[in-house]
Amino acid sequence: MDRRFITGTLALLVGCGWVGQAQSGTTVLVNADHRAAQSLNGDWHYIVDPYDGGLYNFHREIRKDGFFLNGVPETGSNGLLEYDFSKSPTLKVPGDWNMQNESLFHYEGLLWYQRDFAYQLIADHKTFLHIGAANYKLIAWVNGEQVCRHEGGFTDFDCDVSTSIHGGKNFIVIAVDNTRLANGVPTLNMDWWNYGGLTRDVSLIDVPGTYIDDYDLHLSRERTAIEGSVHVQNAVAGEAVSVSLPELSRSVSVGLGTDGRASFSLSSSGVALWTPEQPRLYKVHLETGKDALDDTMGFRTIEVRGTDILLNGKPVFLRGISIHAEAPYRSGRANSQQDADTLLGWAKELGCNYVRLAHYPHDERMTRTADRLGLLVWSEIPVYWAEDFANPVVLAKAQQQLSEEIRRDRNKVSVILWSLANETPLSPERTTFLKTLAADVRSLDSTRLVTAALLVRSKGHDKYVDDPLGESLDVIGMNEYIGWYEGTPQDADSTHWHIAYQKPVIVSEFGADAKAGLHGAATERWTEEYQASIFRHQLPMLAKIPQFRGLSPWILMDFRSPMRQLPGIQDGFNRKGLISDQGQKKQAFFVLQSTYKEWEAEAAAKKNLYTEGDH
Ligand code: GCU
């Protein structure tokens, strides 16, 4: 074994294997979707690599001639290379691989992506590779040089490729592995399809050497000022940065500190506050040195007082629905403007002013569209079911996903709730873990509310919401399935709720499976009539809960899940949608729609008669 190889291998081992640190060389460029970019979407060659052979040799050591080098097989005696991207099939990016090729439908493992691209370098600029999302683990190389590694399937990130990219012809190789991990977030089992791949947009973004990478603008608690801060990378202390709202001919210029950050405040007089009924958005322009950025933002305050959620100081009731990022009609990961318009359009049609984006951050188009359509948003990280809460590695992964989520969406006016977790089993380790996340949220974003979807403790018809985590939440989320996983729809009529907290309660899930078009008696499971009956009994029950301030029934549209295998009914889909994956509206859709219409009319009538605890 030659010496040089040994050292080389060690460098590679540390540099790019799945071993060791899962995350390096990534950041999140705020408002990246408004930056000029060269899209890398389209057809990418791929190689399926279930044994990680493109990365490791037979002794599980990192190969020096790994697939990341994008080698070209030679002819004649030297041709030992056993792969060739240029002759390999292609997959569309963005898109999960499962729905693109029957043979990949159930595939979980490593898959290599490769494409060539031409690039024009701009002097004194940096270049970032922007990944909208890659499920689950990713390593990226540009021209054979590793540029970053990332873990987490649902958050955007950016990798600095300035030292690896060059003018003219380039190639990029990305390894993505969607293997479920015991210490992953999410962990081994989840009730959704583990769609793998480069599931959202991929592009190259150029920024000047000194550039704005982060900012936060929000309405002050008193609703008298628009305040916030900006961070500029590679800035000189004292350098000016300006923030302006051209439509209000308002702007401020402030000097950056030694940390490249500056805080500012502008008067908010004349600003129309954002509400679901009037989702007014404003152009925002930020500028420093050679860098300039435009954004579109709305301004509102959100807070709790007692058991009320106050939007701009007035009580608001959240008429919502839960949504998975499942693409309508074509199935697979939702990732287009069309997907966002269809899903959120249905939510509006239902009479919603609010949506729960479950169980992970959705494509940025969803929150942008919610800003525009006037839908309040519950956003969540996939701390889902039985995570290994005692494991600090798991906590670090959850914290990283949380900070990526908040950094991307903290300027989205629609987002009002950061959810820490869903249906996690009680234990001291779990509660400590989630309390740590709650503290993280408050230090990253003190302008929004912290919540989580809690489980309910049952004693017959008595239901208890007394999870100790409730102390650390601003809003209590609770999931209950009376009439489906327990009892009959009628049991809701005689259910008594015991909620240990004088805080607003959102019923984050209830519902039932129904196969669209399957009809029968209201007592017959899997029929539309049974699902509708669940809603008819649930809604009046919930309305009696004094702290009841919102709901997001499970779920807007049927979605794929390997846990749902009842032939002829589920066929690999969770059928709790009010709409089938092919757009058929079930009876329950109209039951909820008419109730929401009623409640909306009531809320409008009471709007000016603000009294504590009304909905
Ligand atoms: C759970 C869970 C969902 C799941 C749903 C169901 O409550 O949060 O992810 O899909 O129930 O069982 O349908």
Side-chain angles (χ1 to χ4, degrees), residues 156-202:
D156 300 46
F157 55 95
D158 299 277
C159 312
D160 186 345
V161 299
S162 309
T163 56
S164 316
I165 200 166
H166 40 242
K169 209 164 167 299
N170 295 263
F171 70 83
I172 179 167
V173 174
I174 297 183
V176 179
D177 189 333
N178 72 334
T179 303
R180 284 165 291 115
L181 305 172
N183 69 2
V185 177
T187 181
L188 295 170
N189 64 333
M190 65 279 241
D191 189 21
W192 66 80
W193 205 272
N194 183 29
Y195 292 121
L198 295 171
T199 54
R200 296 182 195 153
D201 294 348
V202 177

Side-chain angles (χ1 to χ4, degrees), residues 190-192 324 356 359 384-385 422-423 455 479 481 484-485 509 513 554 559 564 574 576:
M190 65 279 241
D191 189 21
W192 66 80
H324 252 301
R356 175 189 180 200
H359 291 292
Y384 181 89
W385 288 348
N422 181 73
E423 294 191 348
L455 289 166
N479 295 0
Y481 280 91
W484 187 252
Y485 292 124
E509 288 183 37
D513 281 63
W554 196 256
F559 61 96
R564 313 296 171 176
N574 181 312
K576 293 192 179 69

Side-chain angles (χ1 to χ4, degrees), residues 212-284:
I212 298 166
D213 69 338
D214 185 15
Y215 58 92
D216 146 40
L217 268 83
H218 57 265
L219 193 60
S220 64
R221 243 174 232 299
E222 309 69 30
R223 291 182 288 281
T224 53
I226 291 173
E227 54 190 24
S229 71
V230 183
H231 182 265
V232 178
Q233 279 289 351
N234 309 324
V236 177
E239 200 168 337
V241 60
S242 69
V243 180
S244 52
L245 279 80
E247 291 147 299
L248 294 164
S249 27
R250 200 151 303 156
S251 83
V252 62
S253 176
V254 285
L256 293 162
T258 48
D259 59 357
R261 195 167 282 281
S263 301
F264 59 84
S265 175
L266 295 118
S267 155
S268 63
S269 74
V271 168
L273 300 185
W274 186 98
T275 65
E277 297 76 25
Q278 287 161 332
R280 177 63 200 273
L281 299 175
Y282 289 88
K283 285 194 184 47
V284 174

